[in-house]
Amino acid sequence: MNKKYHYRFGTICVAGLIILLLQACNYNYYRGVELEKQGRYEEANIEFHRAYTGSPGNTDYREAYQRTALKTTEDLLERYDKYVKEKKYLMAFRRLERANSLTPDHKRVKEELTKWYRVLLAGKLDLTEIRSMSNQIPLTDQIVLEIRFNTPNITRRLEAPVDYASKIFSVEDVLYDPPQNLLMLYSINSIGVKLVNKTTRRAQFKKFVDFKTPVLVDVQGKLTEGNNGLTPVARFYPPELVKSYANNPFWYPTTGVRYTLSLDGNKIHVNSSNNHIEFLPKILYINKEDKRFFLDFGHLELAQKKMGGLWTFRRVVTKEREYLQQLEKNLILNPFFYFREGGYPFLKRDEGS
C-alpha cells in the first residue's frame, strides 16, 4: 500500500514539475513576444532562448529565437560600427563576439572577426627584500598585487593581478586591424597593490613603482617577417638578450621617460631617456595568421632596501625561463605561445647590434 502511495505521489510530483516547466516556457515565450513588439530584440531573444531551451521540440519557440537572434545581430552590428568609429575597441569587440555567438554564420560578422587581433601581456613578478609591508599598507579586506600597463589608447590601462602562489601575471587586449607600430605602445604604467574594501566595494591602488606613460617619440625601420610555420615561443630565446639583461642591478624607476625605437630586421633597438628599457616587453612574438601577439615582459623583481624607502626594480633572466613553463600550463592561453612571422627582442641601442 505504501509503495503504491509513493508511486502515485511521485508521478503527481513529476507531472506537476512538467506543468510548471511548460508554464514557465509559455511565460518566457509570451514575454518575448511583447518585448519583440517593442523593438527590444536582444531582451526578447533571451526570453525566447529560455523558452526554446525548456522545450527544444517546439517549432514556434525555435523560430522566434532564430528570428530575434538575427535582429539582435543587426542591432549589435550598428553599435559595433559606432564603437569602432569612436575607437572604443574593447566595447566594439564585445558586441561583435555577442553577435557571433548568436549568428556564427552571418557573413558580415565573419568578415569583421578577421580584422581583430588578440594581444597577451604576461610574465612573472617577484617582491624581494620587503621591509615590513604591514606598516605601509592600511588595514583592508583584500590585498591584490597588480601590474598595470599602458595601451595604444592613452586613456585606458590594463590591470593584471599577480597570482599569489606562482607570481605569474597575464592580461589580454584586442586591437582592430592594427599597424605594426601600435604594438610598440604597450608598456608598464605602474606596479603596486589594490586594496579592496568588501563592505563599501571600493578599491584603492597604492603604487610602489610608477612610470606613468613613457612617451614613444619615434619609430623607424621595419621588422623582417619569416615564414617558418608554427613555432613554439620557447624555441626562440636569443642568447644576446640573455647577455644584455643578466645580473642587472636594481634601479629607481622615474616618470617622464621618453624613448625611440629602431625596428632592425629581427630586433627592436631602444633608446630611452633614462638608459633603461625594462618598462617595455622583453620579446614580441607575432602570429598574424592566427591573429595573435604575445608581449613577453619576462621575470620582473621589486625590492625595498629599507623600511619606508623607495622601491627598486629590475628584470632578471635565466636560461630556463621557468615563468614561461608555468604560463604554458594555462590551456586558455596556449594559442599565444606559438608564432609564425617571428620573435623580436627589445634591446638597448648599443647591444645586440
Side-chain angles (χ1 to χ4, degrees), residues 147-207:
I147 180 167
R148 296 187 172 185
F149 293 96
N150 299 303
T151 72
N153 182 341
I154 195 170
T155 64
R156 189 168 63 89
R157 307 282 180 267
L158 297 176
E159 300 179 4
V162 179
D163 181 76
Y164 177 78
S166 67
K167 314 293 179 61
I168 295 295
F169 63 84
S170 65
V171 62
E172 291 186 52
D173 198 14
V174 290
L175 291 176
Y176 178 75
D177 200 16
Q180 190 170 254
N181 289 357
L182 211 60
L183 293 168
M184 309 303 163
L185 292 170
Y186 286 100
S187 63
I188 294 176
N189 174 275
S190 54
I191 302 173
V193 288
K194 181 188 286 186
L195 310 176
V196 182
N197 187 314
K198 293 182 179 179
T199 303
T200 62
R201 297 184 180 180
R202 296 182 65 181
Q204 174 189 356
F205 187 61
K206 181 177 177 61
K207 298 177 182 179

Side-chain angles (χ1 to χ4, degrees), residues 23 47 68 76 85 93 134 142 165 195-196 207 223 237 266 271 283 306 335:
Q23 288 177 339
E47 296 296 339
T68 51
L76 288 168
K85 187 176 181 180
F93 187 67
S134 61
Q142 185 180 9
L195 310 176
V196 182
K207 298 177 182 179
L223 296 177
Y237 196 43
N266 61 355
N271 272 331
I283 306 177
K306 61 180 181 179

Side-chain angles (χ1 to χ4, degrees), residues 81-293:
D81 289 334
K82 174 178 177 290
Y83 289 137
V84 168
K85 187 176 181 180
E86 295 172 352
K87 297 185 179 181
K88 297 178 180 178
Y89 294 131
L90 192 59
M91 296 173 70
F93 187 67
R94 286 172 178 167
R95 301 309 182 278
L96 190 63
E97 282 190 312
R98 169 71 174 143
N100 186 53
S101 69
L102 290 171
T103 54
D105 295 325
H106 193 284
K107 182 179 178 181
R108 175 139 192 269
V109 171
K110 291 169 70 174
E111 289 175 351
E112 289 302 312
L113 281 171
T114 64
K115 300 176 183 178
W116 286 90
Y117 290 74
R118 293 179 179 270
V119 185
L120 174 68
L121 293 74
K124 182 177 181 178
L125 176 63
D126 265 321
L127 293 184
T128 64
E129 299 186 55
I130 304 171
R131 303 300 182 188
S132 186
M133 188 181 291
S134 61
N135 294 331
Q136 305 171 53
I137 297 177
L139 290 176
T140 188
D141 295 322
Q142 185 180 9
I143 300 176
V144 181
L145 181 62
E146 189 172 270
I147 180 167
R148 296 187 172 185
F149 293 96
N150 299 303
T151 72
N153 182 341
I154 195 170
T155 64
R156 189 168 63 89
R157 307 282 180 267
L158 297 176
E159 300 179 4
V162 179
D163 181 76
Y164 177 78
S166 67
K167 314 293 179 61
I168 295 295
F169 63 84
S170 65
V171 62
E172 291 186 52
D173 198 14
V174 290
L175 291 176
Y176 178 75
D177 200 16
Q180 190 170 254
N181 289 357
L182 211 60
L183 293 168
M184 309 303 163
L185 292 170
Y186 286 100
S187 63
I188 294 176
N189 174 275
S190 54
I191 302 173
V193 288
K194 181 188 286 186
L195 310 176
V196 182
N197 187 314
K198 293 182 179 179
T199 303
T200 62
R201 297 184 180 180
R202 296 182 65 181
Q204 174 189 356
F205 187 61
K206 181 177 177 61
K207 298 177 182 179
F208 295 155
V209 166
D210 188 11
F211 287 102
K212 295 193 183 298
T213 305
V215 177
L216 177 56
V217 177
D218 188 29
V219 182
Q220 296 182 351
K222 185 177 180 181
L223 296 177
T224 303
E225 296 183 357
N227 188 18
N228 300 320
L230 201 61
T231 305
V233 300
R235 291 187 186 176
F236 180 81
Y237 196 43
E240 67 267 28
L241 182 63
V242 176
K243 182 179 178 182
S244 297
Y245 285 111
N247 302 316
N248 259 6
F250 283 97
W251 56 286
Y252 295 100
T254 57
T255 59
V257 179
R258 299 168 66 86
Y259 65 104
T260 61
L261 299 177
S262 175
L263 311 185
D264 184 14
N266 61 355
K267 298 183 288 292
I268 302 171
H269 290 294
V270 186
N271 272 331
S272 73
S273 58
N274 64 1
N275 202 35
H276 286 278
I277 67 173
E278 292 93 327
F279 57 89
L280 293 170
K282 184 172 69 172
I283 306 177
L284 162 65
Y285 295 94
I286 295 180
N287 185 349
K288 288 184 179 177
E289 184 173 330
D290 297 320
K291 313 294 182 185
R292 295 185 186 274
F293 301 112

